[in-house]
Amino acid sequence: MNKNVVVIVGTKWGDEGKGKIAAHEAKDAKVVIRATGGNNAGHTIIYKGQKLPLHLVPGGITNPNTTCIIGPGVVIDLEVLLSEIELLKTCGIEDINSRLKISGRAHVILPYHKELDELYENLKEHPVGTTKRGIGPCYADKINRIGIRIYDTLLSPNKLEEKISEAVKIHNQEFKNNNMEYAIVDSKTLAKQYTEYGKLLKDYITDVNPIISKAIENNDKIVVEGAQAFRLDLDHGDYPMVTSSNPVVSGTLCGSALPPQALNVVIGVDKAYNSRVGNGPFPTELPASIDKNGNVIENAKPKEGDIIRELGHEYGTTTKRPRRCGWLDCPILRSAKFTSGIDYLCLNHLDTLGQIGLKLGYVKVCTSYKYKGQIINYYPDDINLTNEIPEPIYETLNGGWTIDSFCKTYEELPELAKRFIEIIEQASGIPVKYLGTGPENDDLIIRDNI
Ligand code: IMP
């Protein structure tokens, strides 16, 4: 079997800037696939000078020779998808009808999933801090075998009503029990509405397997645009503070209908500092003026975490929430390398870290942990049992750096930045092949000799 698949995955908690390397890899790709999650993810792509915020359609859609697939593992909010299609058409991407393919097996996020997401978060003593997009409840219905698939929207309203009423019965009861009469839905009305969406989407809905198998047969490059990241993985992340899908490479292969033998390269993406939205462990997190609801405390004296957040513009693209910020964590990278078989690292925001260093007078990188009295270089599996967060051991570099727009090679980088990269390579065991040095897609250094 040809090995023509490149998978791009996040190595921490999302928002590592996967869009930039995805855009680079998509340039010569024939197929780009989105495999897991839904509109909890988001990135902004630039098309003819216009900024397009996308949550579902793969960024490769701006490339006229690329077929973009929303795979069977994705959960889709049809209203969001339809508005993205509309936006792309308005911006001049007319042939989207022939180049966007949606797996009929993907599941549909229905209005009750969003209400349930809110309800479950409100009822919990320890909320996850979800994006409230209905992701978890939609996957839960899929696993309970009461989900609605994209194919179902092509049924007659009566047939769809029959299917929807299975879930509606159960969820309406939950709404009643929680005095949420406003959230109670009528299967018939929903079925009518969603078959209308089906009509609007029918040209895009298909069996994606023949497209993928043909691309493998022809040895055409396929790129999988990962969503979320390693520590948010349902099975391998910080459970229960995770998303409800499997963003690690094996999950993306399953979610895109790709055979593992076709895998060629895995690119892990990280930032030169780290960030997290939502709750859960973050060993290298720095103090910041954020209250317990996740809001910035106005007029507070800026702490280290605030300085990183401001210089890195670390606010969620999907929810606008301020992100928690901290130093780059290499033990997590080492574990991500193992779980996802990462070949190369793409390290973004190297320029931003330089500015952080200039402001603070130093930058740090966590190279190992002290955990249960031992020094370890990986992320331990059992922190939920002990509630003991691993203690980071840092290497500190004094000062910072500026990377100007003329810097296009690794050799031209400031010495301190190169030292920083060497430390990461040594501590994580992953070669840093790609370096993000600015906000534009072209601000990317590629080390061809790696
Ligand atoms: P959910 O995916 O909305 O259920 O949220 C579960 C957890 O994953 C929360 O902590 C979210 O903040 C986080 N999360 C989900 N999607 C993303 C993403 O694309 N970037 C960063 N964090 C995310």
Side-chain angles (χ1 to χ4, degrees):
M1 183 175 284
N2 287 320
K3 293 191 180 299
N4 54 338
V5 174
V6 177
V7 179
I8 295 162
V9 287
T11 55
K12 297 286 165 64
W13 295 276
D15 310 313
E16 298 94 350
K18 295 179 281 293
K20 176 183 282 199
I21 185 71
H24 171 77
E25 288 298 319
K27 278 183 197 157
D28 57 348
K30 277 279 162 51
V31 177
V32 176
I33 312 178
R34 174 76 197 274
T36 58
N39 62 318
N40 46 350
H43 59 243
T44 304
I45 58 162
I46 314 282
Y47 179 67
K48 294 188 177 162
Q50 306 164 90
K51 282 190 169 178
L52 310 177
L54 295 181
H55 298 278
L56 286 164
V57 177
I61 200 72
T62 54
N63 179 352
N65 301 315
T66 307
T67 298
C68 286
I69 293 177
I70 300 183
V74 178
V75 287
I76 308 181
D77 184 322
L78 297 186
E79 286 163 9
V80 173
L81 177 62
L82 284 163
S83 66
E84 282 186 15
I85 292 174
E86 213 34 58
L87 173 73
L88 291 164
K89 281 186 180 169
T90 317
C91 294
I93 305 179
E94 290 293 340
D95 61 347
I96 183 166
N97 290 40
S98 56
R99 293 196 298 108
L100 177 65
K101 305 287 169 197
I102 304 164
S103 166
R105 290 179 164 268
H107 276 245
V108 180
I109 297 177
L110 286 137
Y112 46 78
H113 293 133
K114 288 181 258 187
E115 295 291 354
L116 290 169
D117 205 348
E118 180 98 38
L119 171 67
Y120 297 157
E121 283 287 274
N122 289 342
L123 288 176
K124 278 179 196 163
E125 189 126 332
H126 302 288
V128 177
T130 73
T131 59
K132 311 251 176 91
R133 300 295 191 263
I135 307 293
C138 181
Y139 278 118
D141 275 5
K142 170 177 169 175
I143 287 174
N144 279 330
R145 286 142 298 169
I146 52 169
I148 296 299
R149 299 191 305 170
I150 294 286
Y151 275 140
D152 298 325
T153 65
L154 302 177
L155 294 169
S156 69
N158 284 347
K159 281 258 155 58
L160 180 58
E161 186 192 341
E162 231 172 80
K163 290 202 169 197
I164 283 191
S165 62
E166 293 283 36
V168 162
K169 225 173 12 198
I170 295 167
H171 299 320
N172 276 351
Q173 194 59 49
E174 285 180 280
F175 295 139
K176 256 185 224 150
N177 295 347
N178 288 286
N179 302 320
M180 290 170 68
E181 270 67 24
Y182 61 89
I184 289 175
V185 284
D186 168 51
S187 311
K188 200 181 186 76
T189 316
L190 264 190
K192 199 157 169 280
Q193 186 185 357
Y194 278 76
T195 49
E196 288 304 316
Y197 293 150
K199 282 182 200 155
L200 294 172
L201 289 169
K202 70 174 183 336
D203 291 345
Y204 304 92
I205 301 172
T206 189
D207 172 2
V208 296
N209 292 311
I211 307 170
I212 293 173
S213 62
K214 193 162 154 239
I216 294 174
E217 226 171 86
N218 294 345
N219 206 14
D220 290 336
K221 182 173 175 185
I222 299 176
V223 173
V224 181
E225 268 184 20
Q228 287 86 44
F230 173 50
R231 297 307 315 148
L232 291 174
D233 187 279
L234 184 58
D235 291 294
H236 305 285
D238 307 315
Y239 191 89
M241 299 302 173
V242 292
T243 192
S244 301
S245 63
N246 290 108
V248 298
V249 168
S250 44
T252 68
L253 295 177
C254 179
S256 22
L258 276 165
Q261 294 91 331
L263 184 58
N264 180 20
V265 173
V266 177
I267 303 174
V269 189
D270 202 355
K271 279 190 292 214
Y273 55 87
N274 287 161
S275 70
R276 177 169 195 164
V277 266
N279 301 325
F282 182 177
T284 60
E285 182 174 13
L286 289 167
S289 304
I290 295 183
D291 67 20
K292 65 179 183 359
N293 300 317
N295 300 314
V296 176
I297 303 166
E298 298 295 332
N299 302 323
K301 187 165 179 276
K303 302 189 173 121
E304 281 169 301
D306 300 307
I307 287 166
I308 296 186
R309 189 182 65 247
E310 286 313 312
L311 289 171
H313 310 293
E314 292 296 341
Y315 294 87
T317 30
T318 300
T319 58
K320 313 283 177 247
R321 286 181 290 180
R323 295 176 183 146
R324 301 156 64 195
C325 293
W327 300 117
L328 187 145
D329 185 319
C330 290
I332 297 184
L333 278 181
R334 189 171 279 279
S335 294
K337 178 190 174 189
F338 170 72
T339 306
S340 278
I342 294 171
D343 296 297
Y344 303 115
L345 193 66
C346 170
L347 191 71
N348 285 320
H349 277 286
L350 189 62
D351 55 322
T352 312
L353 186 74
Q355 295 308 302
I356 293 164
L358 291 176
K359 180 105 186 178
L360 291 174
Y362 55 89
V363 299
K364 293 187 184 185
V365 49
C366 165
T367 50
S368 54
Y369 295 143
K370 190 165 177 204
Y371 185 65
K372 293 186 184 168
Q374 287 193 326
I375 306 296
I376 57 171
N377 63 2
Y378 58 91
Y379 195 83
D381 207 40
D382 59 351
I383 65 169
N384 273 1
L385 294 179
T386 58
N387 265 337
E388 192 187 325
I389 304 293
E391 186 190 324
I393 298 175
Y394 291 111
E395 192 145 333
T396 304
L397 298 177
N398 289 321
W401 54 81
T402 297
I403 302 175
D404 67 37
S405 54
F406 300 108
C407 176
K408 293 288 172 208
T409 65
Y410 180 77
E411 288 65 35
E412 291 168 298
L413 284 172
E415 286 307 314
L416 204 59
K418 283 195 265 194
R419 175 73 197 120
F420 176 73
I421 292 156
E422 279 166 19
I423 296 171
I424 294 166
E425 289 186 321
Q426 201 172 20
S428 70
I430 315 174
V432 180
K433 188 175 171 78
Y434 308 92
L435 290 154
T437 55
E440 304 301 326
N441 275 356
D442 289 346
D443 296 327
L444 184 69
I445 291 176
I446 302 166
R447 297 167 77 192
D448 287 324
N449 55 348
I450 280 187

